[in-house]
Amino acid sequence: MKTIFDVVILTDSRYLNDSKTDDYKHNVYYEDRLVYHALEEVGLKTLRLAWDDMFFDWSTTKSVLFRTTWDYFDRFDEFSKWLEIVSQQTTLLNSEAIIRWNIDKHYLLDLQSNGVHIAESHFIEKGAQVTLMQLHDILNWKETVLKPCVSGAARHTYKLNLDNLNEHEAIFQELIANEAMMLQPFQYNIVSKGEISMMVFNGMFTHAILKKAKAGDFRVQDDFGGSIENYKPTDEEIAFAEASVKACAELPIYARVDIFEDNEGNIALSELELIEPELWFRHYKPAALMLAKGIKERLS
């Protein structure tokens, strides 16, 4: 089959079309268009499709770029099978190896082994015979956050303390029977100071966003009322972000490095997002062209 496209930008079906009434959908569409036009500007023939498009022949594109495939964790088994098939037909950006590694938050332990300071974390493997009370007693943690190791958009993310463990025990036991979980000490500076998202393309920092939770909440995602603002990082924060990306087994073409000041006052990695992170191109449009140039170089 003849190669027709250089890059197919991947979204999910909810975001294929623009919206005049839904700002969230409009921002998704607009940012993907910025990437689309940047790719065209550097001479790459481009198309935008839902990842589960049943009619497209993926062997007709040199590469696919994961951008807004934000339903993958709700359809993980289907997505995983699709990923395996499509990786045999075209180049994935980021690669299948990076995606599969990054899907599961155990990747944080690999980064820690490579010298990246991560948020203090305790992993609870699937099928573990343990209660929340036992975990908090063993770890001597008073306030914590519980989340799945494979997750997104704060799915099954709970703020716990010694007074509410019993009311979360049933859902914890249901979750741990089916998937691995992680428990982390509650990070007070994320609430008071926010979480910084650092965008890194081909190993180089471009721009940053400061995310803050709404009053009374601890989740910084805009799904839960969080706010964002432009942020000028320090040289130390930029160096930390670039080093975190370079600590991966292979250099990702794009990355979002989420950092914060931990309870001890140190820069710590919250998440390294390498699959389909929001990258806020609308806040710094030149970053789309930097991504496009990196992709062209990778494909040449």
Side-chain angles (χ1 to χ4, degrees), residues 84-208:
E84 182 177 359
I85 293 170
V86 173
S87 66
Q88 304 302 314
Q89 299 174 295
T90 187
T91 298
L92 274 54
L93 303 169
N94 286 314
S95 72
E96 182 190 13
I98 280 184
I99 289 172
R100 292 198 181 278
W101 175 72
N102 191 234
I103 279 173
D104 190 319
K105 290 183 176 64
H106 284 86
Y107 75 81
L108 290 167
L109 297 176
D110 294 332
L111 293 177
Q112 185 180 49
S113 296
N114 288 335
V116 178
H117 180 57
I118 68 169
E120 191 175 3
S121 305
H122 179 77
F123 289 84
I124 313 146
E125 302 308 327
K126 176 182 174 181
Q129 301 296 309
V130 67
T131 68
L132 290 174
M133 188 66 75
Q134 289 169 338
L135 285 167
H136 285 73
D137 180 57
I138 292 167
L139 297 167
N140 197 30
W141 292 346
K142 304 292 189 291
E143 270 193 296
T144 60
V145 173
L146 178 73
K147 64 181 77 170
C149 288
V150 177
S151 186
R155 179 183 74 90
H156 283 304
T157 298
Y158 303 103
K159 183 182 177 184
L160 306 177
N161 58 60
L162 298 183
D163 295 325
N164 70 4
L165 296 182
N166 287 335
E167 63 188 77
H168 288 90
E169 187 61 36
I171 186 63
F172 171 67
Q173 293 300 329
E174 181 181 333
L175 289 167
I176 202 63
N178 296 291
E179 58 184 312
M181 304 289 292
M182 63 190 297
L183 189 69
Q184 298 174 315
F186 185 75
Q187 299 291 339
Y188 298 96
N189 288 325
I190 288 183
V191 174
S192 62
K193 298 182 180 180
E195 181 181 71
I196 303 162
S197 285
M198 312 272 287
M199 272 50 76
V200 178
F201 299 107
N202 228 18
M204 299 295 293
F205 165 78
T206 59
H207 63 295

